[in-house]
Amino acid sequence: MANYNFNQIPPDTYVSLVKAQHVRPRFRLSMLYPDESFREDISDYLIEGSGTLNINYQQGQRRSLSFTLDNTTGKFTPNGLQGTLWLDSKFKLELGMEFDNGDIVWKSAGIFVVGQPNATRQQATKTVDVQCYDKFALLDGTLGGVLDSTYQVDEGKFVYQVMQETLLQDNGNGYPIDNKEIVFDSSLRDSKTQYTLSKSPNDSLGSILTDLADMISCDIYYGVEGNLVVRSGIKDISQVNKPTLWTYSDKELEYISNTTTYDFAKVKNKVTVIGSNVNGEQVFSQTAINTNPQSPTRVSVIGVKQFYLEDSNISSDPLALQRAEWELNRLSILQQTIQVASSFMIHLDVNNCIAINDDFFDYSDNRFIIQSLGVPLSANSMISIECTNIASLPYYPSSS
């Protein structure tokens, strides 16, 4: 039996795996050392169907993982002195698909930190239920990163450098919080802080990082290999240039079901951002409005649905407009949820696009941006996808 990395196999080979009559999901779970080097493959202890990988498009923490381990020998009973599982234990999850000949193709699904282990003995059965979070939990106060004093970042500092220095801080045990290189958008590498950022005790390093990302209109999250990713959120604000990761059809087996939810209470089509007050006179203020002719929630159709945001750190009209457009697009993604039940795949991720052909809903190669994914760790795994039609977003280019 051979093991292959996802990037090693031709696209046509992967497509044939997904479209096979019998899809064979596989899951590989490894324990890591603190520096995230490989420690031990514990896949054989993973109880079939016991867990789920969840991914949500949001700032900071995106990924969470739950699973149950066979603890017959007591190997995974939490013990800080001599046990295998303890505070800050790290895991790597890989999703795989098996070929007919037994070969498996693998793709990393994230690096996770243990949060809430629960050891159980029920007569002869001994198990440990484990809840994990991605590494942002070490920064946002969930599992670490709480400030014990005032933390200040001065105006004019390079954002990348501040973020890297934040991650390289001593965790108190002689090791840095995270020594992996940040995957930082190259077009923004020279961006500087636009104002002085200050955080009080009991706030978190994570809030500093997300504020810095918001300052330059970037998404911030941990990628599948455990690197912090900082990527522009406005470079392709219309989403039109994102690749289509899969095209679903109601005529094919991968497309199992579609449920559409219209959350009218969350509909926003106008965002006003109010910035700082200069000498009690000039107030920086800008508004972004959904006027997209293809959007069913544009102002001319449903009237104004206002969202109002004050941020005293915004110190110019261009910054206020940039923030307003970013917030309008972000809020629009959350308004209408389409939930697709899909056969098992290993390459999908949030903030990427799929396409759907569905006669009932009148979709003809309509493109949707993925908001969330749920992947059960089961041999009969069926993926749950929540997404939004990108043509309804405020900055999608009109075809007229």
Side-chain angles (χ1 to χ4, degrees):
M1 181 184 75
N3 292 295
Y4 299 96
N5 185 282
F6 177 77
N7 295 324
Q8 293 177 307
I9 65 169
D12 289 348
T13 302
Y14 174 68
V15 170
S16 66
L17 275 176
V18 173
K19 289 182 172 293
Q21 186 172 1
H22 299 291
V23 177
R24 301 177 182 88
R26 294 293 180 262
F27 307 95
R28 185 159 64 185
L29 185 66
S30 304
M31 292 202 74
L32 307 177
Y33 286 110
D35 65 357
E36 297 174 27
S37 60
F38 175 79
R39 178 178 177 182
E40 181 183 1
D41 186 339
I42 60 171
S43 305
D44 289 342
Y45 297 93
L46 184 63
I47 294 178
E48 156 66 22
S50 67
T52 304
L53 167 68
N54 290 300
I55 313 171
N56 292 286
Y57 176 54
Q58 60 189 26
Q59 295 286 69
Q61 274 194 60
R62 284 196 176 183
R63 296 170 182 264
S64 62
L65 175 67
S66 63
F67 54 86
T68 301
L69 298 173
D70 181 345
N71 193 37
T72 301
T73 64
K75 177 183 178 71
F76 299 105
T77 301
N79 186 320
L81 297 178
Q82 55 187 357
T84 303
L85 181 65
W86 192 239
L87 190 71
D88 290 349
S89 291
K90 291 180 179 178
F91 300 88
K92 180 176 182 176
L93 176 69
E94 294 168 276
L95 305 181
M97 300 183 75
E98 185 176 333
F99 293 88
D100 289 338
N101 65 358
D103 293 349
I104 303 176
V105 56
W106 297 102
K107 191 174 191 302
S108 179
I111 306 294
F112 300 88
V113 186
V114 65
Q116 295 164 303
N118 183 18
T120 301
R121 174 177 181 171
Q122 188 172 2
Q123 296 181 342
T125 302
K126 305 176 186 69
T127 59
V128 174
D129 299 322
V130 183
Q131 175 67 49
C132 296
Y133 309 97
D134 72 29
K135 289 167 55 181
F136 212 87
L138 297 172
L139 299 162
D140 66 5
T142 304
L143 298 175
V146 177
L147 299 175
D148 60 4
S149 60
T150 299
Y151 195 102
Q152 181 170 302
V153 180
D154 293 332
E155 180 182 355
K157 298 292 185 180
F158 287 104
V159 173
Y160 167 79
Q161 184 177 344
V162 173
M163 288 185 170
Q164 194 71 68
E165 291 173 352
T166 300
L167 295 185
L168 291 176
Q169 289 185 43
D170 191 320
N171 201 25
N173 58 2
Y175 296 96
I177 298 171
D178 185 3
N179 64 359
K180 282 194 169 181
E181 180 72 17
I182 299 174
V183 180
F184 200 93
D185 194 307
S186 59
S187 67
L188 298 170
R189 194 66 177 257
D190 294 329
S191 297
K192 294 183 178 181
T193 53
Q194 298 149 358
Y195 49 83
T196 297
L197 178 64
S198 181
K199 294 291 180 180
S200 302
N202 209 38
D203 213 315
S204 71
L205 294 174
S207 68
I208 293 170
L209 294 175
T210 53
D211 281 0
L212 288 169
D214 289 345
M215 190 185 295
I216 55 175
S217 300
C218 279
D219 293 338
I220 184 169
Y221 59 96
Y222 269 94
V224 296
E225 299 296 343
N227 298 78
L228 187 67
V229 177
V230 181
R231 182 162 294 153
S232 174
I234 61 171
K235 189 182 295 182
D236 183 21
I237 198 168
S238 70
Q239 318 293 342
V240 71
N241 293 318
K242 292 186 181 297
T244 299
L245 297 186
W246 194 263
T247 298
Y248 289 92
S249 171
D250 55 5
K251 309 294 192 299
E252 298 178 345
L253 295 177
E254 306 93 75
Y255 187 67
I256 299 171
S257 69
N258 180 330
T259 301
T260 301
T261 300
Y262 304 89
D263 195 342
F264 294 146
K266 290 183 179 179
V267 170
K268 305 296 178 188
N269 55 23
K270 180 179 179 181
V271 173
T272 297
V273 171
I274 305 296
S276 59
N277 186 314
V278 180
N279 299 323
E281 298 177 359
Q282 183 180 6
V283 176
F284 299 109
S285 174
Q286 290 290 314
T287 298
I289 301 174
N290 181 356
T291 59
N292 176 13
Q294 297 186 58
S295 174
T297 58
R298 64 187 185 275
V299 171
S300 62
V301 172
I302 64 169
V304 174
K305 304 295 180 183
Q306 174 80 38
F307 180 76
Y308 183 86
L309 173 69
E310 291 188 13
D311 186 342
S312 61
N313 293 314
I314 292 176
S315 55
S316 71
D317 282 335
L319 289 177
L321 180 60
Q322 179 175 287
R323 180 66 177 276
E325 290 177 342
W326 184 66
E327 291 288 352
L328 177 62
N329 204 61
R330 183 183 66 84
L331 290 168
S332 297
I333 290 175
L334 301 176
Q335 291 170 9
Q336 179 185 2
T337 300
I338 298 170
Q339 184 162 325
V340 175
S342 164
S343 62
F344 186 74
M345 302 182 190
I346 64 175
H347 73 297
L348 300 180
D349 202 353
V350 296
N351 200 30
N352 286 280
C353 288
I354 58 174
I356 298 178
N357 293 287
D358 186 318
D359 291 341
F360 179 78
F361 285 104
D362 196 26
Y363 297 150
S364 177
D365 277 333
N366 289 43
R367 299 179 72 231
F368 297 79
I369 187 165
I370 300 173
Q371 298 168 233
S372 69
L373 288 167
V375 184
L377 307 187
S378 168
N380 299 313
S381 183
M382 182 177 66
I383 296 178
S384 174
I385 305 170
E386 289 189 352
C387 52
T388 293
N389 190 332
I390 66 170
S392 68
L393 300 181
Y395 299 107
Y396 190 79
S398 171
S399 60
S400 59

